[in-house]
Amino acid sequence: MFLTRFRINTVRLGARPLLASPQRMHAAVMSSFAGLLPSEGASSRILWRTDRNSRAEVLLFIVSQERPDLTHLVEQAGWPTTATWQTYEYKPFLDKLTAGSTWAFRLTANPVHNVRRTPDEPLKRTAHRTPRHQMGWLLTHQEKAGFRVLETPADRRRLARGDEHQLTVRDEQRHHFGKTEMKTGQANKVPLVTVTFDGRLEVTDPVALRRTLTAGLGKAKAYGCGLMTLSQAG
């Protein structure tokens, strides 16, 4: 497994359509792998995420089984003569994860739930719209994903409700794009709501967490969701 980081040059004209469209970024990421054939489910082996740390610093992260070649992205949206990308072997880090260790984490996800307005209506996948419900979505997935979001000590909580965990939600993005159904050929407008979680976690099941870090968490993985990364907790 490999973890790759690429800084996007946000003032390049070629960067703007990539950052505006998860579909275009998905296609650019998929084009980074010479051994990837356009077969069903192939893209599920690759995770990616863009981190918008500031207007001038936007980073693309990729987790993949194959080492990527981002030459085309450097030419389109990077610094062709002065900067490139960094790719690291991911397995040594994953193997060091142990139960009880604590980490800072970041995750961009598509928090959704299934609802119906009437008993006869089929279930419809709907995005969570408020930070409280978005955080609740993550907390309901944490046990199976191999971690526990750390709680905020009672004497450090600033709110009566919603401040119980060391977790924040930011950078909500809403997209609409066309998608053609493979079975019917019908073109539909697909809404996509993404948010970024920052927080601190404790590893409860290293095997499950390794699976989360390499296979992703939640829906819409092809569109920049599901990739969690860890860093040393400060």
Side-chain angles (χ1 to χ4, degrees):
M1 296 298 299
F2 296 96
L3 173 65
T4 299
R5 182 179 66 179
F6 170 72
R7 184 179 174 191
I8 297 173
N9 186 346
T10 57
V11 301
R12 293 283 300 274
L13 291 178
R16 297 172 188 176
L18 291 176
L19 293 174
S21 169
Q23 285 179 304
R24 290 193 180 99
M25 185 65 81
H26 169 73
V29 170
M30 293 302 106
S31 299
S32 305
F33 300 93
L36 184 64
L37 298 176
S39 58
E40 183 177 355
S43 63
S44 65
R45 302 194 300 269
I46 298 168
L47 301 173
W48 64 271
R49 184 185 82 214
T50 53
D51 284 4
R52 301 168 187 261
N53 297 326
S54 68
R55 285 188 67 181
E57 186 182 54
V58 178
L59 301 175
L60 170 66
F61 289 91
I62 302 172
V63 168
S64 58
Q65 295 180 1
E66 180 185 341
R67 184 183 291 271
D69 182 344
L70 304 186
T71 303
H72 63 298
L73 278 174
V74 174
E75 294 171 348
Q76 178 180 356
W79 287 266
T81 62
T82 61
T84 182
W85 65 93
Q86 300 84 41
T87 296
Y88 308 93
E89 292 274 0
Y90 207 14
K91 189 175 185 299
F93 173 79
L94 297 173
D95 289 344
K96 291 179 181 179
L97 293 175
T98 57
S101 59
T102 58
W103 301 86
F105 74 89
R106 176 168 291 176
L107 166 70
T108 293
N110 170 227
V112 295
H113 60 139
N114 294 321
V115 297
R116 58 162 56 102
R117 289 171 295 182
T118 66
D120 299 330
E121 186 180 54
L123 287 171
K124 181 180 180 181
R125 185 180 297 166
T126 304
H128 287 297
R129 297 288 184 170
T130 67
R132 182 168 69 87
H133 287 102
Q134 290 161 350
M135 283 190 272
W137 173 88
L138 180 60
L139 295 173
T140 61
H141 286 76
Q142 62 180 344
E143 181 178 358
K144 186 176 180 180
F147 65 89
R148 177 181 68 87
V149 177
L150 296 179
E151 294 185 3
T152 306
D155 60 350
R156 291 173 50 194
R157 296 177 187 175
R158 294 169 294 181
L159 304 173
R161 186 179 181 186
D163 198 23
E164 298 89 350
H165 294 86
Q166 297 182 39
L167 180 64
T168 60
V169 182
R170 65 177 183 85
D171 197 24
E172 180 174 304
Q173 301 284 325
R174 300 189 180 193
H175 302 274
H176 288 81
F177 52 88
K179 183 177 181 181
T180 302
E181 297 293 335
M182 295 184 63
K183 293 183 179 179
T184 64
Q186 181 179 357
N188 296 316
K189 277 288 186 180
V190 179
L192 176 67
V193 177
T194 69
V195 297
T196 297
F197 297 98
D198 286 323
R200 290 165 56 96
L201 61 78
E202 176 186 346
V203 180
T204 56
D205 183 339
V207 174
L209 183 55
R210 291 183 194 112
R211 184 168 59 248
T212 297
L213 295 174
T214 56
L217 181 61
K219 305 293 185 181
K221 296 183 181 70
Y223 302 112
C225 297
L227 174 54
M228 173 184 279
T229 51
L230 306 181
S231 60
Q232 291 290 339

